[in-house]
């Protein structure tokens, strides 16, 4: 359908965008438009003004420091997928970005838009949880960091406040003895995750697991960390057996979504299968 | 130069399609045009107690707001169905817009016409309709239950018709005496057609001449004009022109006469301006006629040797809320008559009842009845083979009708004209390397891998249809077609056909046919279709009839053109007609070098200075009507090999072998393309597609986020091949290729997945979850191979 009538304006800096947000009720930021525009065309979303931030080029940068990879909020999925920095320092993120939607979606959609939208079946949420990323936010009262595990609150609901903008996502660089992987079971229609599991593990020189994080998306009303799996694995050698034992029954069917694409029982099962696959690959990479 | 038949010429229409220069109905913008937005029912069943259009009328840009009563008051009749099934068929009125009640979600209630599409959509939200929701039935079993809500008060028990075919007593006796009976309860789920181009209509009334032009994205413009004029509006046919420009797919859904066509034709006269409507995708989901949706019990009896002795079938077919144009014919004549398949089954009986529900109407969808029949037979064959411990290929082979039995009269009316089923089966087995496959399968199973194979040896009846037969079985139309050749003075040719391509590449195939026989370059031939003002008459494209019927008509016109050209040549060369041969685009006096080219003859025909004017009219233009003598009967063997992921239930198709016999082939590449698309469609039904309504009649799969159509990445490389058994009764020897893939492939895939996981049956679409559950069920019942 045709969206309801709306005003449109471009912001050329973060400050300008913040000022525009501040000056308008019911205004929305427009980044890649690949979540917002479809919702507007279905008349499910009805902003009175769109503030197009896609021209703010400094928000599209991907840079690296000693300890982290900084991905600008406007980096497209395609930019993340093909970034040499991301590939070298945080390869799993590039892999996951390459599995989002289709080429058109990847060429337009942005990491900031994806996180702000917080679709329960989006891919990045699992990644930011497993990789312990921090989401950098600019707002009327300055900038601050939100740890990934505090970010996702509910269906399409995040810790982002009205009037705030995501400017950057900061991923800690993977250490030599760590590895990460993402396993996604796609909805055959939408290609979003029915269940997607991102796993990060770190091992000591003996191959003992010194840290693990498992981020799960698609399964529940919002992405979550499966801390029980991580807890189970710590201090253990990562073998097929220990991984299988840790993931068995990791998700409670009662907490899973139950819809046309998958029952809650099947989703709970898929959590275990996808976690096993992601952990197995992550462990291999950590010990690689 | 002119040896075009059998050549994979690239499709001439593709240049404009793939560069975005196709011209579809929605691309047409007329001066002073207005835009219509339909206000559609959110309820599956409700009484309309009042409609307040006042507020909508006053919204910016609004030109007019109409309701169903306005149309009825103008004497517009309901939209008829085109197929009568039995004397007692209940055919409740299907109004352009609902008048008293709405009967499915998406039923039109009012229309806003405005200066822009956006204004119409905005104002549509201000039409206030007072609904009194009524209990709804979406499910056929519920519709048939005692005390079920009635979709139409005058259709008791929600039954539209009962229909039967075959010899019940013989089938009962055969089953009673059978050595083995395989019983199968089938849910053949509902599909949504999803043409890539949504339906679109423009009504354009010329106030000065009183001519009406209706642009519509349709597979058969002439039928639309006939229904619109003769049945619905009473407008004189000669004042109505229906144009279907480029049509972006249909799969059957654009055969039918829809309310939006009637509305735009009516409304343009009311407001004196052109009125355009283009479906939103979400509207397509709830207004395009849907397909399949059968509940069936089938029993097949075998003797001790494995020979089929009898088949008994009972089917409930969901018609949805109204009878669409071909609705009744699909689960009856296009279904029951196919139940012999490739087999010598001596006794067959089928009973079908058509059921009303509060859902979108159901009608022909690619294959139309024949996929349902084939699914039933080919699943039964695999199930029976398992139950009797026989090889599924061997069981089929021993039941095949043999080549020397043709023409073969089945117990369900049809006379198969030709066939050689074993040849296709053998070729497919060969391509697959069946024996080697069975060994690999054994080995893979030993490793815990779930690999399965499924067969489908199918037949279809297409090239519809002999008009007398169509009439005898209740079709309210003839099913011939017309072809006209207009040779211009320079020897260039326009071909006018009553069939209409919506993706099949007619502009290429038909040009090849004509260029081949006239022995002129293809570039000199152009096809004209989709316009009732230019084409004498036609019945459109569906039922894989375009080449078999429309092409045969063109061939008849070609004969007339060449016959007259020969007469002109004989005059010019001062020779007897019999002494001429036509080679390389030249009439030559045999054994001499005296010749005249086709172009010269054309020029002579139009500049008849030196011409046998006493015996021959000037000009070189002929039309021909062709009524087929019989259906055509493509057949073949499809084999599918799958691997199932035991952890997730995901299905991967490892190999797909298709050997089809579509008779003579004019453009092998186009036929392969049709077969590929058809297989993809059939795989879609097996693995991905399925319309789901909740108990209130809400369509839950109303977007592409929820309704899965197969994508290229979901499909394997198809291994397609052919055998060629020409159709003996049409001049081209062709049969039809547009539906074979869809008809054949669905059971092959289901058979393969069931074989892989050791399940008797898995409900379609076989989603990963359903397959995962089947794996568990098979394991816990102990008969799984894993
Ligand atoms: C066909 C299709 C398939 C898809 N498949 C997948 C998939 O497989 N996996 C997946 O993860 N996603 C998928 N997506 C979603 C896609 O990744 C979106 O691009 C993404 O969710 C939103 O990013 P965007 O830049 O397009 O945001 P927009 O649509 O522009 O905005 C989305 C929301 O975020 C807000 N927003 C945007 N940028 C910011 C910012 N910097 N700060 C604060 N708020 C902001 C907007 O105001 C809006 O509310 C798919 C989308 C489509 C259309």
């Amino acid at each position: 359908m045709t969206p309801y009538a709306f005003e449109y304006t471009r912001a050329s800096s973060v400050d300008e965008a913040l000022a525009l947000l501040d000056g308008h009720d019911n205004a929305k930021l427009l980044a890649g438009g690949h979540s917002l525009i479809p919702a507007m065309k279905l008349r499910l979303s009805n902003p009175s003004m769109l503030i197009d931030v896609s021209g703010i080029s400094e928000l599209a940068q991907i840079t690296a420091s000693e300890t982290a990879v900084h991905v600008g909020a406007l980096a497209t999925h395609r930019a993340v997928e093909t970034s040499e920095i991301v590939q070298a320092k945080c390869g799993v993120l590039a892999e996951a970005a390459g599995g989002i939607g289709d080429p058109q979606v990847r060429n337009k959609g942005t990491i900031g838009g994806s996180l702000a939208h917080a679709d329960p079946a989006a891919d990045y949420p699992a990644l930011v949880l497993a990789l312990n990323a921090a989401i950098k936010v600019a707002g009327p009262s300055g900038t601050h960091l939100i740890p990934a595990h505090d970010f996702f609150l509910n269906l399409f609901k995040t810790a982002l406040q009205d009037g705030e903008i995501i400017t950057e996502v900061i991923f800690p660089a993977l250490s030599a003895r760590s590895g990460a992987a993402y396993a996604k079971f796609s909805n055959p229609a939408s290609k979003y995750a029915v269940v997607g599991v991102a796993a990060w593990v770190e091992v000591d020189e003996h191959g003992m697991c010194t840290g693990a994080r498992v981020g799960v998306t698609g399964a529940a009303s919002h992405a979550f960390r499966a801390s029980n799996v991580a807890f189970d694995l710590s201090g253990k050698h990562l073998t097929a057996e220990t991984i299988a034992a840790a993931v068995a029954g990791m998700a409670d069917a009662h907490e899973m979504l139950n819809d046309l694409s998958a029952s809650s029982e099947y989703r709970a099962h898929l959590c275990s299968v996808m976690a096993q696959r992601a952990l197995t690959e992550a462990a291999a990479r950590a010990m690689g | 130069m002119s040896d075009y038949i059998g050549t994979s010429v690239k499709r001439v229409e593709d240049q404009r399609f793939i560069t975005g220069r196709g011209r579809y109905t929605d691309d047409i913008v007329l001066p002073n045009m207005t835009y219509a937005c339909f206000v559609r029912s959110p309820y599956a069943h409700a009484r309309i107690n009042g409609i307040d259009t006042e507020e909508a009328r006053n919204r910016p840009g609004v030109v007019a707001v109409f309701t169903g009563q306005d149309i009825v008051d103008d004497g517009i009749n309901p939209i008829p169905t085109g197929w009568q099934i039995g004397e007692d068929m209940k055919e409740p009125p299907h109004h352009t817009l609902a008048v008293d009640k709405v009967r499915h979600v998406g039923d039109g209630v009012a229309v806003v016409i405005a200066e822009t599409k956006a204004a119409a959509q905005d104002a549509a939200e201000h039409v206030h309709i007072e609904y009194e929701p009524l209990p709804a039935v979406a499910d056929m079993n519920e519709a048939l239950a005692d005390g079920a809500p009635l979709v139409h008060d005058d259709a008791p028990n929600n039954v539209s018709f009962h229909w039967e075919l075959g010899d019940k007593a013989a089938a009962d006796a055969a089953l009673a005496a059978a050595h083995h009976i395989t019983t199968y309860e089938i849910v053949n789920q509902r599909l949504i057609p999803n043409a890539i181009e949504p339906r679109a209509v423009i009504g354009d009334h010329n106030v000065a001449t009183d001519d009406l032009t209706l642009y519509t994205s349709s597979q058969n413009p002439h039928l639309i004009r006939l229904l619109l004029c003769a049945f619905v509006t009473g407008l004189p046919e000669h004042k109505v022109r229906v144009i279907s420009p480029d049509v972006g797919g249909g799969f059957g859904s654009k055969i039918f006469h829809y309310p939006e066509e009637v509305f735009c034709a009516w409304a343009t006269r009311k407001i004196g301006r052109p009125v355009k409507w283009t479906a939103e995708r979400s509207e397509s989901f709830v207004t395009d006629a849907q397909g399949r949706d059968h509940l069936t019990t089938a029993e097949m009896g075998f003797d001790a040797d494995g020979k089929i002795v009898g088949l008994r079938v009972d089917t409930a077919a969901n018609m949805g809320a109204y009878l669409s144009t071909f609705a009744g014919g699909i689960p009856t004549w296009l279904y029951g008559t196919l139940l012999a398949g490739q087999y010598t089954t001596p006794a067959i009986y089928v009973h079908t009842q058509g059921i009303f529900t509060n859902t979108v109407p159901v009608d022909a969808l690619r294959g139309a009845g024949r996929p349902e029949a084939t699914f039933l037979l080919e699943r039964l064959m695999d199930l029976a083979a398992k139950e009797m411990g026989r090889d599924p290929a061997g069981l089929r082979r021993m039941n095949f009708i043999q080549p020397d039995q043709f023409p073969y009269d089945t117990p369900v009316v049809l006379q198969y004209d030709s066939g050689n089923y074993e040849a296709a089966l053998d070729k497919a087995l060969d391509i697959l390397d069946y024996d080697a496959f069975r060994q690999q399968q054994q080995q893979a199973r030993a490793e815990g891998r779930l690999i399965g194979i499924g067969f489908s040896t199918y037949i279809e009846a297409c090239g519809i249809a002999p008009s007398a037969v169509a009439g005898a079985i209740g079709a309210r139309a003839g099913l011939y077609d017309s072809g006209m050749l207009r040779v211009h003075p320079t020897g260039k040719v326009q071909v006018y056909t009553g069939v209409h391509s919506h993706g099949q590449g007619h502009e290429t195939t038909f040009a090849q046919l004509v260029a081949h026989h006239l022995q002129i370059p293809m570039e000199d031939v152009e096809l004209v279709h989709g316009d009732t003002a230019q084409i004498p008459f036609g019945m459109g494209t569906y039922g894989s009839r375009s080449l078999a019927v429309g092409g045969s008509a063109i061939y008849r016109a070609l004969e007339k053109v060449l016959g007259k050209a020969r007469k002109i040549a004989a005059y010019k060369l001062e020779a007897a007609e019999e002494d001429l041969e036509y080679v390389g685009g030249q009439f030559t006096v045999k054994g001499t070098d005296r010749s005249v080219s086709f172009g010269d003859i054309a020029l002579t025909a139009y500049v008849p200075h030196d011409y046998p004017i006493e015996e021959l009219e000037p000009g070189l233009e002929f039309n021909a009507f062709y009524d087929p003598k019989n259906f055509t009967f493509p057949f073949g063997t499809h084999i599918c090999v799958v691997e199932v992921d035991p952890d997730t239930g995901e299905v991967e198709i490892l190999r797909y072998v298709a050997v089809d016999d579509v008779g003579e082939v004019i453009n092998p590449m186009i036929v392969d393309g049709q077969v590929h698309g058809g297989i993809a469609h059939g795989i879609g039904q097996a693995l991905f597609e399925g319309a789901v309504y909740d108990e209130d009649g809400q369509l839950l799969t109303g977007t592409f986020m929820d309704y899965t159509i197969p994508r290229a990445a979901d499909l394997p490389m198809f291994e397609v091949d052919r055998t060629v058994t020409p159709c003996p009764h049409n001049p081209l020897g062709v049969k039809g290729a547009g539906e074979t893939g869809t008809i054949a492939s669905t059971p092959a895939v289901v058979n393969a997945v069931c074989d892989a996981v050791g399940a008797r049956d898995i409900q379609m679409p076989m989603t990963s979850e359903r397959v995962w559950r089947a794996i568990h069920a098979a394991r816990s019942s102990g008969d799984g191979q894993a």
Side-chain angles (χ1 to χ4, degrees), chain B residues 508-569:
Chain B
T508 307
T509 304
F510 289 14
Q512 282 179 258
L513 173 67
V514 170
H516 182 92
H517 288 287
L518 294 182
Q519 301 178 27
I520 58 176
M522 242 184 99
E523 299 71 48
D524 289 357
V525 181
E526 188 179 73
L527 188 72
V528 180
H529 52 177
D531 182 354
T532 61
Q534 296 193 71
I535 292 122
F537 203 75
M539 296 306 296
T541 288
Y542 42 81
S544 301
R545 65 189 301 277
S546 295
L547 191 56
V549 186
S552 293
I554 291 171
Y555 185 82
R556 291 284 183 247
L558 272 168
E559 289 179 328
K560 296 186 191 181
V561 166
L562 282 170
K564 183 167 177 182
R566 178 176 289 268
K567 284 195 165 64
I568 298 171

Side-chain angles (χ1 to χ4, degrees), chain B residues 47-368:
Chain B
R47 198 181 312 282
I48 302 169
N49 285 336
I51 305 176
D52 182 355
T53 60
E54 186 63 25
E55 193 182 321
R57 272 178 221 281
N58 294 323
R59 301 296 296 183
V62 171
V63 175
V65 183
F66 293 112
T67 67
Q69 197 59 48
D70 296 330
I71 299 168
V72 171
D73 289 347
D74 248 18
I76 303 298
N77 293 320
I79 299 169
T81 189
W83 214 316
Q84 172 96 35
I85 301 300
E87 300 280 295
D88 302 330
M89 181 176 83
K90 297 288 183 294
E91 188 183 347
H94 182 194
H95 291 290
T96 305
L97 294 173
V99 181
D100 52 344
K101 278 183 186 173
V102 289
R103 293 186 171 84
H104 68 87
V105 172
D107 216 352
V109 182
V111 183
V112 175
I113 298 176
E115 300 291 344
T116 65
K117 188 171 177 173
Q121 290 177 346
D122 283 345
E125 295 187 5
H126 298 274
V127 174
H128 299 291
I129 300 160
E130 200 185 308
Y131 291 108
E132 176 189 333
L134 300 170
V137 279
D139 176 276
M140 277 192 283
N141 284 326
E142 276 172 35
L144 287 170
D146 281 345
L150 290 184
V151 180
H152 298 278
D153 294 338
D154 46 359
N157 304 317
N158 292 311
V159 174
S160 173
F161 58 80
H162 283 277
W163 175 87
E164 58 181 359
L165 185 67
D167 185 337
K168 182 166 192 311
D172 288 347
L175 285 162
H179 171 77
H180 178 84
I181 295 179
T182 295
T183 305
Y184 185 32
E185 307 264 338
I186 305 161
V187 181
N188 200 305
Q189 87 273 26
R190 183 184 288 230
L191 303 181
I192 297 176
N194 291 314
I196 194 163
E197 180 214 10
R199 286 191 297 114
V201 184
I202 306 170
D204 180 22
H205 180 234
N206 183 326
V207 186
T209 62
D210 200 28
D211 287 327
L212 175 80
T213 305
L214 188 77
Y215 301 85
T216 178
S217 177
S218 174
Q219 297 173 217
N220 55 347
H222 282 91
L223 189 65
I224 301 304
R225 187 181 63 174
L226 180 66
L227 290 170
L228 181 73
C229 292
F231 295 90
V232 182
T233 62
L235 289 172
E237 231 171 324
H238 65 293
K239 301 298 277 180
V240 176
R241 174 181 187 183
V242 177
I243 299 177
S244 295
D246 284 333
V247 177
F251 308 122
S253 69
K254 293 177 183 167
I255 300 171
F256 323 121
H257 189 25
Y258 283 97
E260 294 84 1
E261 291 166 330
V262 177
F263 179 81
C264 291
W266 175 81
T268 180
R269 300 173 68 88
K270 285 306 256 197
I271 67 167
R273 294 173 63 179
V275 178
K276 179 194 266 188
W277 169 79
T278 303
E280 297 290 334
R281 180 58 66 182
S282 44
E283 270 183 302
S284 303
F285 271 97
V286 294
T287 65
D288 291 359
Q290 303 179 347
R292 318 273 191 265
D293 207 348
H294 288 192
L295 295 176
T296 294
T297 304
E299 300 151 282
M300 188 179 255
F302 295 84
D303 71 13
D305 297 331
K307 280 285 235 183
I308 308 169
V309 295
L311 173 67
R312 194 163 53 202
V313 175
D314 192 38
T315 292
N318 201 335
M319 297 287 99
Y322 306 103
L323 292 180
S324 173
T325 308
F326 283 179
I330 309 305
T332 53
W333 295 105
L334 290 182
Y335 165 72
T337 53
L338 266 289
L339 288 172
Q342 298 191 350
Y343 312 118
T344 54
T345 313
I348 300 175
Y349 172 75
V350 49
H351 166 247
T352 297
Q353 49 184 336
I355 314 289
F356 289 117
T357 59
N358 293 113
T359 59
V360 175
V362 177
D363 206 321
L365 171 68
R366 201 172 194 171

Side-chain angles (χ1 to χ4, degrees), chain A residues 126 129 152 214-217 219-220 222-227 250-251 256 271:
Chain A
L129 286 167
F152 304 104
V214 174
V216 182
T217 191
H222 61 90
F224 65 93
R225 262 193 201 153
S227 348
M250 66 179 260
M256 301 284 103
C271 285

Side-chain angles (χ1 to χ4, degrees), chain A residues 79 92 244:
Chain A
V92 63

Side-chain angles (χ1 to χ4, degrees), chain A residues 28-38 73 77 99-102 105 108-110 112-114 116-117 121-124 160 164-166 184 190-192:
Chain A
K28 262 190 183 297
L29 300 175
L30 176 68
H34 268 53
S35 291
L36 182 54
I37 304 281
H77 309 330
I100 296 176
D102 51 45
V105 173
K108 292 296 286 178
T110 66
S114 175
H117 188 62
D123 294 302
Y124 280 134
L160 211 60
E164 290 186 333
I165 300 178
I166 300 176
K184 175 179 182 178
S190 72
K191 302 290 176 189
Y192 274 89

